[in-house]
Every structure is written in C-alpha cells, then in structure tokens.
Amino acid sequence: MPHQATADRARLPFYLLVCWIVLLPWPLGANRDWIWPWFSSALFVIAALAVWKSDLPARWHMAHPALRWALICLTMLALVDVLRILFASPGEATLWRVADAQAAALGALRSTTLCALVFTLMLLLSSRRRARWLMASVFVCGVVQALVALTITLGGLKVHWLGHNLGVSEFATGTFINRNHFAGMLELAGAAGFGLLASGLHATEPARDWREWLRRVGHALLGSRFAVRAGLAILVVALVMTRSRMGNAGFFAGLTIAGIAALVWWRPLPRILIWLLVSIVAVDLLVLGAWVGVDKLAERVAETRLMATTAEPPTVGIGLAPEAPETLTTPVEPDDAERWIVANAGLRVWRQQMWLGHGPGSFSVLFPAVKPESVRLFYQHAHNDYVQSLVERGLIGFGLQMIASLALLWAALQALRRRHDSLARGMALATIVAATAFGLHSFVDFNLQIAANQFWFQLCLMLGALAHVLPEPRPIESHAPGAASDAHA
C-alpha cells in the first residue's frame, strides 16, 4: 500500500515526462540552441516534482547497481563541465581551459539535463504500466513522425517548419533537418517498438494440431501485437526512404544482435520471436522496402563517389552553418573518405589536450586550424561521436560516458538472463537494439549531438536497467486477452 500511494503521488510528473519525451523530436529534433534549453528547463521542473512526490532513498536503494554507477558517472561529467565554466576562461593555458566559453556553458547545461533525465526516470518508473507507457510513447511518436515523413516525401509536399523547408528532397527527413538524424530517431523508436513486441511473448507447448496452429497464428496477426507490428513496418519503410546507409545497417544489426542475445539467454524461448525478427527483414525490408526504393539505398551503399545536389549539403556537413546556402553544385570528396579524414584531423586536435579535452562545443572552433586542404566544407561536428567526445571532453569525459553506457547495457543483458518476465526482457531487448544501432551509427555521424536523439538514446539505454525494479506480474496478467497469441506459431 505505501508503494502504491507513492506511485499515485508521482503520477503527475510521470505523465509530464511522457509529454516531454513525445514533444522532443518535433521542433527540428530540438537541434537549435534556442530550442533545446527550453526543454532542459521543463525537465528540471519535472525532476523537482519527481523528487517531491517520490521516496528518493527507497528508489535509490531499489535501483540496479549499474544504474547507480551510470548516474554517478553522468553526475561527475556534468560536475566537470560546470567547474570548467566557473574556473576557466578561453585564454588560460591550463588543464581546465575551454576553447569557447559560451559553447561550454551550453554543454554544461546539456550534460546536466542528461543527468536529470536519468535521475527522473529512476524515480518515476515504478510500475509495469509506466514501463509500457514509456516504450509506447517513444514508439508511437516515431510512427507518427514516419507517417508525416512518408506523406511529405511521397506526396511531393513542401512544408515550412520553424524556419526550415521540409520536403525539398527525395529523402525522408520528418521534422528533422538532416535525414541521417531522422534515421537515428527511427532506430530508437524501432528499438522501443521491438521491445513492446517482445514484451507480450510467452513460450507455450507446441500446437496439438493444424487447427490450433492456425488459431494461434490468427491471434498473432489480429491480436494486440498487430498494431505494433504494423507500426514497425511503417518505421522500416520510412527508414529505407531516408537512404541512410548506416542508419539502416545499424538498426538491422541491432535487431540481429538482440535476436542472438534472446537465443542465448531467453529460456524458454518463444519461437514466434524468431519469426517476428525474420518477418521484419523479409517483409518490411525486401517487400515494402522494394516499393519505396530499397534499390536506391543499395546504390548508395555501392557508390564510391558522390555529387552534392540540391538539399543534400546538410547530409555531408550538418557541419554547415545555419546560414550556409541550401544548394551546392560543385563536386565534393567521397562521403565516407571525407568523414574519416575529418575524424583523423579531429584526433590531432584531441592530442593537444588529451585528459579533459577542449570543452563542449569546441570542435567547430578548433577544427579549421587542422582542416586538411582536401576538405572544403565547414564542419561544426566531427561526423563521429567518439572523436568529438574525445576532442571536447578528453579521455576522462569519454571514459565516464562509456562507463555509464556500458553499465546500462550490462544491466540489460542481466535482465534478459535473470528476469523471467517478458516485459522486463522486452525492455532489455530494446536497450540492446538501441545500443548496437547507435554504437555503429556513431562512427559516421553525430546523432548524439542532436538533443532529441541524445535524450531518447539515454532513455532507451535506461530501459534494461529499469527492468530490474519492475514488480512481478500478477497471475491474471499472464492470462490476459491475447495471451494465446504468445504461443509458438
């Protein structure tokens, strides 16, 4: 009863947090310095409400040790960022020196917001219903974004949105400026959707005859999971239409790794989970993807040189300043080759201040000094999240970020192994898909510099650790309508 009373008291901040999560991607992925600080302010208010309405000591002691370690690492990272803007200035030749004081202040706000998000989720995710709400909010928001993108792209529409023109190219971008970042958002929404799909699966005895087998297949196709499965198909179609090579490769690699993890640790394994994984590749990618142009995605993978065309510059250098022209007609370096050239040059910048880096937001300030002659575009970001983290936060900050992420991934693997509960295992699989997808995508892009994607990614990483504190399902839950569809097909 005390736990239920505390949960009821914290209902308001939880639903405010859900609204915050759903709104994040819509204003250009919150990828403007005049947009995302407002979200940070709102989250601090929600966090304060969560502290007021929750039992803080109890939630801290209930949290998985990996989650506590992740929160400590992120708090240390935020503390370092804050101390740097308090005790250092751009002109000081010290370990605490920052290359751009204003960007460092924004970086401190971003890292503090990330810490507040982890802390708030730890306090508020206290029930199975809230876990489903959290995954569903990310998934449904992603599906609606995908539908908007498909409508604009296939309909040939042009929409003016917050000073940016949507629908000016053949690529799906949703309400994002860059199609690769839209692909990143779809990867995270797909991870949450796959977690939802897996959260209702239970292994049962094989069907006794063909009639029972058909009945189970019918439940699987028309039951409660059908809407989630259809939503995943929409996400995959939109992902293909972004023509983002690493976005597509990362997502399907994430599904593959999650499937292998389930085969190894989910016992007894619901056989239908494997069929669902196969169907996502066979039906969504090959059949539906062929309808919207998966062949064009394959052509992009096979290309060795690219020409910049109208509306394409943001792909190569969102990199480009906001005031940069929207069209380029001159040839550019091979896309992949130039990204590695920029990353290698960034590593030279990092070696100048290896331990604490040059401060958040410093890459765009320092890169021109080491910019190779073959690179003709302006790069605000490194197109490699690992390199940019090293340049801006050094080995110490990079290490803290990696420890936090790997700790949460380890907690997800433990949940998959130890929790005999399909919802907890579904949350763990969502974390595995998101971690794999972004872990690969971050080698060639900068999704973690985009506020909406960074905060959504942190949320998805948290799911596996939060699965450990979910209460056990009540007996009636395992016999709820649609449970028969969880059987072997």
Side-chain angles (χ1 to χ4, degrees):
M1 289 299 292
H3 174 77
Q4 184 63 37
T6 302
D8 290 340
R9 290 180 60 216
R11 184 179 300 171
L12 174 61
F14 174 75
Y15 288 119
L16 287 175
L17 180 63
V18 168
C19 293
W20 185 87
I21 290 166
V22 169
L23 290 174
L24 260 174
W26 293 96
L28 306 179
N31 184 27
R32 286 292 182 265
D33 289 343
W34 57 270
I35 294 177
W36 69 262
W38 292 100
F39 280 96
S40 296
S41 302
L43 183 63
F44 294 145
V45 173
I46 295 170
L49 278 173
V51 172
W52 180 35
K53 297 287 188 178
S54 304
D55 186 348
L56 178 56
R59 298 303 301 172
W60 174 260
H61 289 295
M62 287 176 61
H64 190 272
L67 175 53
R68 294 200 291 265
W69 273 108
L71 184 55
I72 290 170
C73 288
L74 292 175
T75 302
M76 292 173 63
L77 182 66
L79 182 61
V80 169
D81 285 347
V82 171
L83 290 175
R84 292 187 78 160
I85 62 174
L86 291 177
F87 299 110
S89 65
E92 292 179 351
T94 66
L95 186 67
W96 293 84
R97 181 181 66 84
V98 293
D100 186 332
Q102 184 177 0
L106 288 172
L109 178 61
R110 182 80 73 91
S111 57
T112 305
T113 305
L114 199 65
C115 184
L117 177 61
V118 174
F119 180 70
T120 306
L121 284 168
M122 182 190 73
L123 291 180
L124 295 181
L125 202 78
S126 57
S127 69
R128 301 174 65 81
R129 182 181 181 185
R130 289 187 183 179
R132 291 193 178 95
W133 264 92
L134 196 65
M135 287 196 293
S137 64
V138 172
F139 175 61
V140 172
C141 181
V143 172
V144 175
Q145 276 271 352
L147 289 172
V148 169
L150 292 174
T151 301
I152 292 174
T153 307
L154 296 177
L157 305 178
K158 288 183 173 58
V159 179
H160 190 71
W161 180 246
L162 296 177
H164 180 74
N165 292 320
L166 307 178
V168 295
S169 75
E170 61 177 320
F171 308 116
T173 61
T175 60
F176 283 64
I177 301 169
N178 180 279
R179 60 189 171 88
N180 290 303
H181 303 150
F182 179 57
M185 187 275 296
L186 294 176
E187 293 168 48
L188 299 176
F194 183 67
L196 278 175
L197 201 62
S199 67
L201 300 180
H202 303 278
T204 61
E205 295 297 326
R208 291 186 298 271
D209 52 37
W210 64 271
R211 294 184 182 85
E212 183 177 348
W213 185 85
L214 285 177
R215 186 165 58 251
R216 292 180 179 180
V217 170
H219 278 298
L221 293 177
L222 302 176
S224 59
R225 283 200 309 274
F226 175 74
V228 179
R229 183 64 190 84
L232 273 173
I234 294 170
L235 286 174
V236 171
V237 169
L239 186 57
V240 169
M241 288 200 65
T242 65
R243 308 287 192 266
S244 172
R245 291 166 294 177
M246 190 56 80
N248 282 270
F251 179 62
F252 287 105
L255 290 178
T256 301
I257 296 300
I260 293 173
L263 282 172
V264 174
W265 286 309
W266 191 326
R267 291 291 181 272
L269 178 69
R271 197 176 302 169
I272 195 172
L273 178 64
I274 306 304
W275 288 108
L276 288 171
L277 279 168
V278 171
S279 75
I280 292 174
V281 177
V283 177
D284 297 5
L285 181 61
L286 300 181
V287 179
L288 296 178
W291 174 58
V292 296
V294 73
D295 55 327
K296 295 181 180 179
L297 174 63
E299 289 173 8
R300 285 208 73 236
V301 174
E303 285 174 352
T304 56
R305 287 191 68 87
L306 296 175
M307 299 289 289
T309 58
T310 57
E312 186 62 11
T315 304
V316 184
I318 249 189
L320 290 169
E323 296 78 17
E326 292 190 1
T327 60
L328 287 176
T329 56
T330 57
V332 297
E333 290 290 325
D335 190 68
D336 295 328
E338 182 158 299
R339 280 178 169 145
W340 288 113
I341 290 170
V342 171
N344 287 330
L347 289 175
R348 293 203 301 273
V349 177
W350 162 61
R351 293 187 190 102
Q352 298 169 7
Q353 188 132 327
M354 295 180 61
W355 294 107
L356 285 178
H358 299 272
S362 61
F363 181 86
S364 61
V365 176
L366 299 172
F367 179 70
V370 298
K371 181 179 176 181
E373 292 183 2
S374 60
V375 177
R376 294 188 294 275
L377 293 173
F378 168 69
Y379 280 80
Q380 186 178 357
H381 300 288
H383 285 263
N384 185 314
D385 279 318
Y386 302 105
V387 171
Q388 184 148 349
S389 179
L390 283 169
V391 169
E392 297 183 348
R393 290 190 166 89
L395 277 175
I396 293 176
F398 178 78
L400 289 172
Q401 289 174 320
M402 291 302 295
I403 290 171
S405 298
L406 292 175
L408 294 175
L409 179 59
W410 174 249
L413 293 174
Q414 285 190 316
L416 187 61
R417 293 172 57 192
R418 298 177 179 178
R419 289 300 306 262
H420 302 289
D421 169 16
S422 62
L423 176 57
R425 283 170 161 168
M427 294 169 70
L429 290 176
T431 292
I432 295 169
V433 174
T436 303
F438 262 45
L440 291 174
H441 204 166
S442 290
F443 277 108
V444 295
D445 220 313
F446 52 100
N447 274 289
L448 296 182
Q449 311 305 318
I450 308 304
N453 285 358
Q454 183 184 30
F455 297 143
W456 270 30
F457 177 61
Q458 192 63 51
L459 185 156
C460 289
L461 277 184
M462 289 277 292
L463 290 174
L466 294 169
H468 288 273
V469 300
L470 290 184
E472 293 295 331
R474 289 177 291 181
I476 190 173
E477 189 171 334
S478 62
H479 300 289
S485 66
D486 297 330
H488 291 286

